[in-house]
Amino acid sequence: MANKKTYEFNKNLKDLSVSDLRAKIQEDELRLKKLEFAHAISPLENPMTIRGLRRDIARIKTELKKKEMGI
């Protein structure tokens, strides 16, 4: 099931423009900071969401780099 989610996520990234990808990175990094801050104050119900968000940001950055290099 997780692989299907990742596949769909990556497929949707390919349709986005460079500016959309940059905006999504900024938005997700802000969400990550808020999650980490909330987790530091009181433990999150599911701390794996932090790991998932970090990985999603990495996937977005990878796709952005590919588009910038023209691959």
Side-chain angles (χ1 to χ4, degrees), residues 20 32 36 43 45-46 54 56 59 61 67 70:
D20 290 339
L32 179 63
E36 288 174 337
E45 188 174 312
N46 185 4
R54 271 200 324 257
D56 286 348
R59 287 184 187 104
K61 286 182 177 180
K67 287 186 185 247

Side-chain angles (χ1 to χ4, degrees), residues 6-64:
T6 303
Y7 175 77
E8 290 294 322
F9 184 79
N10 288 340
K11 196 168 112 177
N12 291 337
L13 288 181
K14 292 184 190 310
D15 299 335
L16 298 176
S17 68
V18 172
S19 59
D20 290 339
L21 288 172
R22 286 191 179 123
K24 189 152 178 59
I25 289 171
Q26 282 185 329
E27 175 186 312
D28 283 354
E29 284 179 341
L30 181 64
R31 244 177 65 214
L32 179 63
K33 282 183 185 178
K34 287 181 180 179
L35 268 178
E36 288 174 337
F37 184 72
H39 185 60
I41 293 173
S42 66
L44 294 176
E45 188 174 312
N46 185 4
M48 295 299 284
T49 57
I50 293 174
R51 181 192 292 180
L53 188 55
R54 271 200 324 257
R55 288 180 178 180
D56 286 348
I57 292 170
R59 287 184 187 104
I60 298 168
K61 286 182 177 180
T62 301
E63 190 61 37
L64 176 62

